[in-house]
Amino acid sequence: MSFVEQQPIQKAADPSGGANQVRVRAYNERLVLSLVRRHGSLPKSEIAKRSGLTPQTVSVIMRSLEKDGLLLKGTPQKGKVGQPSVPMSLKPDGAYSVGLKIGRRSADLVLVDFLGRELGKLTSTYQYPLPQDILKFADAGIKQLCQHFSSKQRSRISGIGVSMPFELWNWAEKINAPQNEMDAWRNFDFKVELSSLFSYPIFIQNDATAACGAELVFGHGLELSDFVYFFIGTFVGGGIVLNHSVYSGRTGNAGVFGPMPAIDENGKITTLIDHASIFTLEKKLQSEGIDRSPLWHSAKAWDGLGIFLDDWIENTARHLARAIVASCAVIDFEAAIIDGAFPSQIRHRIVEAIKIELESLDTRGLNSPNVLEGIVGHNARVIGGACQPLLSKFLLNQNVLFKEMT
């Protein structure tokens, strides 16, 4: 089934439905863990104020989470009055997660701890991705990353999060891949095949949406409640964050952005993919007889591309500025965040060029968002994949608003 095929409308759960004790406890535990993650560390009194839970309830939850090895007790902090407060933080080895990014030119595997810190990473590059090759890489790579784990550490692996482009077979022409070989993805259920190799829960998400999730959990999401996010890879994509939560939409394609209509210099209607993607720079280099492999073999090796890179940055910024304005005309975003599979200095140049382009556009009636560089960087897609099991098992769906202090 196509990922963008119309899905039957599901009946929403009755919002008046109650919650039993187990569900309430699980919700409150996730709420506490989410607050601690977002703020780094918090004492019991602060958690009670921010969550609306009673101090007694928070004490019980924190003792339980500490016993389970998920929270770590800090050094008592003396205040002006009363007992010293004890800040609690996430215990780094309380949980682990594996991320797998399947890209058009390379695949990455990463093992992270509960704080999202990278414990190991592997990369495989290729001309184009084939399902069986990716599966072999995942099988051998995950075993290699976890080979020194004890049985206790293995038991704390929350799952494997896969970030990948939807409908890979539709992009064969643009990445110069044989259509008959890319068609192998059409009926290949990667989740089922990976589940046959590992007993951990498997999560699948669009790669750019996963990158957006990484920025939410480990980047600007710590300070922003909503933003529109663009990730420039082989093809441009992105995501939407509302109320501290990634909004993926009914079929998981919200914020994809690549198919967004764009107008080229001749007035022809094209798509954002055709103007703000690395493959357009790759095509130009190929036509000029310049080695293009550094673009997707190494995010650091972009030196020496000269005027071709300058032109690409200018064109990319022009079209992203228009896409930002179009997005903000629908939702009043606080910020627009730009990241991609390139060196940090390239990201900086694109963001500065976007700010200049925005000044030339008619934005009357709109509150122009802050345009910011992504914090997570070129690894955002694989880190976003690794986020999925942790979010699913431990953290709160933050569409349910936190009762935050102002």
Side-chain angles (χ1 to χ4, degrees), residues 25 29 32 44 55-71 73 88:
R25 179 183 174 186
E29 288 179 345
V32 169
K44 178 182 68 176
Q56 293 82 1
T57 299
V58 171
S59 294
V60 171
I61 291 173
M62 291 175 74
R63 282 197 300 268
S64 175
L65 293 174
E66 186 180 8
K67 182 180 178 181
D68 290 342
L70 297 174
L71 285 183
K73 188 178 293 184
M88 303 292 286

Side-chain angles (χ1 to χ4, degrees), residues 10 55 163 174 316 394-395 401:
Q10 302 294 320
S163 61
K174 289 188 181 295
T316 295
F394 299 108
L395 302 178
L401 289 174

Side-chain angles (χ1 to χ4, degrees), residues 134-405:
I134 300 294
L135 199 64
K136 291 177 183 177
F137 169 65
D139 185 21
I142 293 173
K143 290 173 181 175
Q144 180 179 336
L145 289 173
C146 302
Q147 63 181 332
H148 299 301
F149 266 19
S150 65
S151 57
K152 182 178 180 180
Q153 287 175 307
R154 291 176 187 273
S155 70
R156 289 186 174 273
I157 296 176
S158 305
I160 302 170
V162 181
S163 61
M164 61 184 294
F166 289 168
E167 297 190 341
L168 269 165
W169 58 88
N170 277 334
W171 308 107
E173 181 181 356
K174 289 188 181 295
I175 61 174
N176 296 319
Q179 185 64 60
N180 63 320
E181 293 197 57
M182 292 296 288
D183 279 342
W185 285 102
R186 286 184 182 272
N187 299 308
F188 191 88
D189 192 326
F190 193 81
K191 183 175 182 178
V192 169
E193 296 296 331
L194 193 59
S195 296
S196 70
L197 301 175
F198 297 96
S199 60
Y200 307 121
I202 310 294
F203 303 82
I204 305 284
Q205 191 172 52
N206 174 271
D207 57 339
T209 304
C212 182
E215 189 66 35
L216 169 66
V217 176
F218 302 117
H220 287 292
L222 298 176
E223 62 201 38
L224 299 173
S225 62
D226 60 84
F227 55 85
V228 59
Y229 176 87
F230 295 88
F231 189 90
I232 306 168
T234 303
F235 301 137
V236 68
I240 293 171
V241 167
L242 299 174
N243 281 336
H244 304 286
S245 184
V246 173
Y247 176 75
S248 56
R250 184 170 56 87
T251 63
N253 277 318
V256 170
F257 294 123
M260 179 179 282
I263 299 176
D264 67 14
E265 63 275 10
N266 299 316
K268 180 182 177 182
I269 297 178
T270 54
T271 66
L272 190 61
I273 280 179
D274 298 312
H275 301 281
S277 300
I278 292 176
F279 97 95
T280 61
L281 176 57
E282 181 186 342
K283 284 177 59 179
K284 180 62 177 178
L285 295 177
Q286 183 179 20
S287 68
E288 297 291 334
I290 299 173
D291 180 19
R292 64 197 190 281
S293 63
L295 297 179
W296 31 272
H297 278 273
S298 172
K300 299 179 182 178
W302 284 45
D303 297 333
L305 298 181
I307 191 172
F308 305 112
L309 178 60
D310 296 341
D311 290 345
W312 177 78
I313 289 175
E314 180 182 352
N315 192 54
T316 295
R318 180 184 307 115
H319 288 278
L320 282 180
R322 295 172 184 175
I324 289 170
V325 171
S327 301
C328 290
V330 179
I331 297 176
D332 187 17
F333 289 110
E334 185 177 358
I337 297 175
I338 310 298
D339 215 334
F342 36 53
S344 59
Q345 64 267 28
I346 303 299
R347 179 182 62 212
H348 178 73
R349 290 180 60 186
I350 291 173
V351 167
E352 292 305 306
I354 289 172
K355 292 177 181 177
I356 294 173
E357 287 291 337
L358 284 173
E359 293 177 358
S360 68
L361 297 177
D362 186 350
T363 58
R364 287 175 294 180
L366 297 178
N367 292 318
S368 295
N370 293 321
V371 183
L372 305 171
E373 295 182 48
I375 291 176
V376 181
H378 67 274
N379 284 331
R381 291 170 294 182
V382 67
I383 296 296
C387 282
Q388 295 178 63
L390 298 176
L391 286 167
S392 176
K393 188 170 183 179
F394 299 108
L395 302 178
L396 187 69
N397 178 349
Q398 296 175 14
N399 274 322
V400 181
L401 289 174
F402 277 145
K403 190 177 180 180
E404 285 279 18
M405 293 174 66

